[in-house]
Structures are given as structure tokens and as C-alpha cells.
Amino acid sequence: MTTHEGAGAPLGPGGATPPNDRVHHVRSGGTDGRAAISGGTVGSRRLWMSLVENPPSSATDNHHHGDSEAGIYVVSGHPVFVYHDGTREVRLAADPGDFFLVPPFVPHREENPDPHEPAVVVIARTTQEPIKVSVPELYRLGGANARQGEGADPAERAEPSPRTP
């Protein structure tokens, strides 16, 4: 997923944060890949949302989103979400209408293997900044931040990544 400079920057009059005492309307197409809902755009306190388009035949680098949880809804296309379960890379193929949760600090990458169709997703995060921390490789999250049994669903282990050594 792409992160843009200036996402979440104040858009209110005179650079002020918009008031947080009313419903805000962000029109379709008005985000240009930037934050649609954030503290800077509409005064949100704990939510960041955006519509993101991944071009055909593309992949992000390996990364995590720091302390932020990320909820992802697939609008169109067939993105693939890749993470490491401690033994190998796991590839989760998505269809329109699917939802994903990426827990805090879990290294992953998104791929759009389709050579013709973009993958369009809505992302919601629990932090105000679009945090993206690049990592050299995928690894299973361990220690205090990991819950026992995460990624243990046998259905999620169906297809190892060809990048696995």
C-alpha cells in the first residue's frame, strides 16, 4: 500500500484542525490516495482511513505499521497479503468484499499479481499517522506483542511463497 507525504496534514481554515463536533463528509475521489479521515482532515481522534489503489503487477516492500492495527477491505481486484508464520511465508489471496486485520508490528507485504487490473482497498488504522516501517525480510512476530496461536489457522497455510528459502 502506498503512503503519501502530507497525509493527515491539517486542512481546516488557516491550517487548523477541523472541528470535532459534527459529521464530516469526504467526497469520493477527494483524497487522491491520501488520508480521507484523519485528525487533520476531519478532526478524527483515533481513526485514520484511506482508499488506496495498487497498480497491476506491483508489490510493496516488507513492512509493518508500528503500534497501529490496520483493517483492510478489498473493493476490487485480487490483492495477496503475505506474512511469515515462523516456518515460511504465507500468502493470503483476496477477493472483492474480503476483510483483513493486520495486528500492530506484524511484518507483511501486499502484492497485486494481476498484470491488468489494479487492486483497490480501503484501509483503516488506529493511529493518526500513516506509519510504515520497512524491514529487510518477513519474520514471525514474537515476544510480548504476539498472541499465542496467531497465524495457526490451517486454511491460511495453503500456499507457501516462492520467495521462501
Side-chain angles (χ1 to χ4, degrees):
M1 313 277 149
T2 305
T3 302
H4 297 276
E5 290 296 319
L11 297 179
T17 300
N20 201 13
D21 61 354
R22 63 197 70 185
V23 173
H24 295 270
H25 180 196
V26 179
R27 297 203 177 271
S28 175
T31 66
D32 191 29
R34 295 187 172 92
I37 296 175
S38 72
T41 60
V42 296
S44 172
R45 293 182 185 153
R46 292 181 287 269
L47 181 65
W48 181 96
M49 289 184 74
S50 184
L51 181 72
V52 176
E53 182 175 313
N54 292 309
S57 300
S58 66
T60 66
D61 62 342
N62 298 322
H63 65 278
H64 65 76
H65 299 291
D67 197 30
S68 180
E69 287 185 309
I72 302 165
Y73 174 75
V74 180
V75 176
S76 64
H78 300 278
V80 176
F81 297 87
V82 185
Y83 73 99
H84 204 284
D85 70 358
T87 303
R88 62 181 180 186
E89 287 185 356
V90 178
R91 302 171 60 78
L92 303 175
D95 293 313
D98 288 352
F99 288 88
F100 290 87
L101 170 68
V102 180
F105 299 101
V106 171
H108 63 283
R109 76 174 167 270
E110 299 88 28
E111 300 176 354
N112 180 10
D114 191 293
H116 306 292
E117 183 181 9
V120 179
V121 299
V122 172
I123 300 174
R125 294 192 187 140
T126 58
T127 55
Q128 286 299 300
E129 296 301 319
I131 300 166
K132 183 179 176 192
V133 179
S134 295
V135 295
E137 61 184 22
L138 298 179
Y139 53 88
R140 178 166 171 73
L141 182 65
N145 291 324
R147 291 191 311 242
Q148 288 290 5
E150 274 188 356
D153 182 349
E156 294 181 353
R157 297 175 186 249
E159 182 186 342
S161 170
R163 292 174 53 161
T164 302

